[in-house]
Amino acid sequence: MKTYRDFEQTKEIQFYKEKFHSIQTSLQFMLQKQGIRNFMVTSANMSEGKSFTSSNIATIFAEKGNSTLLIDADFHRPSLRKYMQISENIGLIDCLTGDKTLMECTQETHHPNLRLMPTGIAPLNPNEWIDSLEMKQLIEEAKQQFDYVIIDAPPLLPITDSRILSSLCDGVLFVTFAKKTKRSDIKQAMRYLEIADANVIGSVLNGVAISKSDMKGYHYKY
């Protein structure tokens, strides 16, 4: 998975770039209105684009001058270290166990103002670490050191980690995929978030087909 800067600047990529800028602008307005400095990104199931969404939104937050920390909290299927081309596998679990400090577990990316905290080597009991005082303290400490803290969380339906994590975060951004995410799965995911008393701040729909008329409209009617 790559962020838009890694692709050629084609008309289609420019279209997506503007879409993510639009999402980030709306999101930042809501975050400022509610006084939110951290939020998690999740989905109902796997392969619905949550990591693609979190990485691109984090990149744009950083490009606009905000010191941003992107945390990969998906111990079951970590992806951000590879996508951000980070070689060292020190990360979240090392901070939670106390082996490393928060900043020692984060690494610079190719994007100014953006640091990544990978998962590190996945523990045998990830849900116990997610549902821990150490995790709560880590989020609070990160909020003191960064303007925004964005957490890439596991999908809600197959894994309980995100249901726990949603109660620790100030907000939840929910990602779906067009013609793939079932309506029943969305309803179930929303029930889990409601039970956790999570603050759902918005949703993103991935996988929407772009027609030539859409592209023309972008260039001539923007």
Side-chain angles (χ1 to χ4, degrees):
M1 186 180 300
K2 300 179 180 180
T3 57
Y4 59 76
R5 281 186 176 275
D6 299 312
F7 294 91
E8 294 180 1
Q9 295 300 300
T10 62
K11 293 180 180 179
E12 183 177 0
I13 297 306
Q14 280 294 109
F15 180 86
Y16 280 118
K17 179 178 178 179
E18 285 300 325
K19 288 299 182 182
F20 271 111
H21 270 283
S22 178
I23 291 170
Q24 188 275 340
T25 299
S26 299
L27 185 59
Q28 187 165 16
F29 175 79
M30 179 168 291
L31 296 179
Q32 291 175 343
K33 185 177 180 180
Q34 296 187 23
I36 292 175
R37 305 244 327 277
N38 95 286
F39 61 93
M40 59 174 261
V41 182
T42 188
S43 58
N45 298 295
M46 295 184 294
S47 302
E48 292 178 337
K50 66 174 182 62
S51 296
F52 176 76
T53 300
S54 64
S55 59
N56 275 284
I57 289 177
T59 299
I60 297 172
F61 266 105
E63 286 181 348
K64 291 189 176 181
N66 303 292
S67 60
T68 306
L69 174 62
L70 177 60
I71 300 176
D72 193 342
D74 191 347
F75 286 116
H76 303 270
R77 198 180 181 186
S79 57
L80 294 180
R81 183 174 72 91
K82 179 177 67 177
Y83 300 145
M84 290 285 187
Q85 300 178 345
I86 299 297
S87 58
E88 195 170 4
N89 197 27
I90 295 175
L92 176 58
I93 189 60
D94 302 283
C95 190
L96 294 177
T97 58
D99 293 336
K100 301 285 184 180
T101 66
L102 186 148
M103 291 305 295
E104 288 175 336
C105 295
T106 67
Q107 299 178 52
E108 293 182 350
T109 68
H110 297 297
H111 309 284
N113 300 319
L114 176 60
R115 296 186 71 88
L116 172 68
M117 179 182 286
T119 58
I121 299 175
L124 296 176
N125 52 344
N127 61 321
E128 292 182 13
W129 284 109
I130 294 295
D131 188 16
S132 68
L133 177 61
E134 288 80 4
M135 186 69 193
K136 183 177 181 179
Q137 292 174 336
L138 184 150
I139 293 174
E140 291 303 316
E141 182 181 355
K143 287 163 62 176
Q144 297 300 317
Q145 299 193 37
F146 294 88
D147 294 328
Y148 290 99
V149 180
I150 302 172
I151 301 177
D152 185 54
L156 282 158
L157 297 190
I159 302 167
T160 61
D161 296 10
S162 285
R163 307 173 206 174
I164 300 169
L165 191 57
S166 66
S167 65
L168 302 179
C169 295
D170 296 335
V172 176
L173 183 66
F174 186 72
V175 176
T176 60
F177 200 95
K179 297 183 179 181
K180 180 178 181 179
T181 308
K182 297 179 181 179
R183 186 172 300 179
S184 59
D185 288 346
I186 296 174
K187 289 181 178 180
Q188 185 61 51
M190 289 297 105
R191 289 193 196 101
Y192 286 145
L193 292 174
E194 184 178 2
I195 292 171
D197 197 26
N199 177 26
V200 180
I201 56 177
S203 62
V204 174
L205 178 63
N206 283 323
V208 178
I210 300 176
S211 65
K212 291 183 178 180
S213 60
D214 291 329
M215 297 300 299
K216 182 178 179 180
Y218 164 70
H219 284 288
Y220 297 104
K221 296 180 181 179
Y222 176 71

